Structures are given as C-alpha cells and as structure tokens.
C-alpha cells in the first residue's frame, strides 16, 4: 500500500516520515564456536577479556601505522576526515 508510512520520532515529535517501500532492513547474526569448554570459560572470564580487548587508542594506532605503510600519508585527525580516509582505503 503506497500510504504505509513509518515515522521517526524524538520526544513524541515526528522528525521524519518514510514510505515503507523506501525502507531496507539488514540483519546480522554472529555465532561463536569454541573448541572446548575451557575455551568457552576463558571467553567469559573478565580478566581474559581485558587481555583480548584493544582500547580505542590502540585500534587507532594500529590503523594509523597500517594506513601510513599503505599510502605513505598520515591519517587526518578530524573525525570526519579520519572516517572518510579509512573508508576510502579499506572499503
């Protein structure tokens, strides 16, 4: 039906409306498989998670190093420019 509309609201005020035919839905399913019960237990261990998790600074440093080695350029520091540079190089 061409009259089906979806409303985007904020504090009960409609800020945008879209007909159903313009909407798209994306679903992502991520499953984790473990080789043993011990591996599963390690995955749920908070101390092990700390060892496996990189900080934002660590991620950006690795990306910066790789980006510079690929392009010979330094990553921009502004968030928008950084996002555009990363998308242009890696996507």
């Amino acid at each position: 039906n061409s009259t089906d509309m979806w409303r985007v609201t904020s504090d009960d005020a409609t800020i945008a409306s879209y007909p159903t035919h313009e909407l798209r839905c994306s679903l992502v399913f991520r499953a984790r498989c473990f080789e043993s019960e011990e591996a599963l237990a390690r995955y749920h261990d908070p101390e092990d998670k700390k060892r496996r998790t990189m900080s934002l600074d660590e991620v950006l440093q690795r990306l910066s190093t790789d980006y510079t080695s690929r392009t010979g350029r330094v990553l921009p520091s502004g968030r928008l420019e950084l996002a555009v540079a990363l998308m242009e190089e890696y996507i």
Side-chain angles (χ1 to χ4, degrees), residues 13-81:
T14 299
I15 58 175
S17 297
Y18 300 96
T20 298
H21 72 273
E22 288 186 10
L23 300 177
R24 301 291 179 266
C25 179
S26 296
L27 299 175
V28 174
F29 174 77
R30 292 187 177 100
R32 292 183 173 88
C33 299
F34 299 93
E35 63 188 27
S36 65
E37 290 294 324
E38 292 80 18
L40 173 62
R42 276 194 312 275
Y43 178 80
H44 288 293
D45 177 10
E47 290 303 313
D48 192 64
K49 184 175 183 177
K50 287 179 189 174
R51 288 188 292 276
R52 290 183 282 115
T53 304
M54 291 190 294
S55 68
L56 177 58
D57 288 340
E58 203 174 350
V59 170
L60 291 175
Q61 181 58 50
R62 288 185 183 201
L63 280 170
S64 179
T65 300
D66 187 67
Y67 180 86
T68 300
S69 72
R70 287 173 174 235
T71 66
R73 298 186 312 267
V74 175
L75 271 175
S77 58
R79 290 206 179 232
L80 177 60
E81 295 82 8

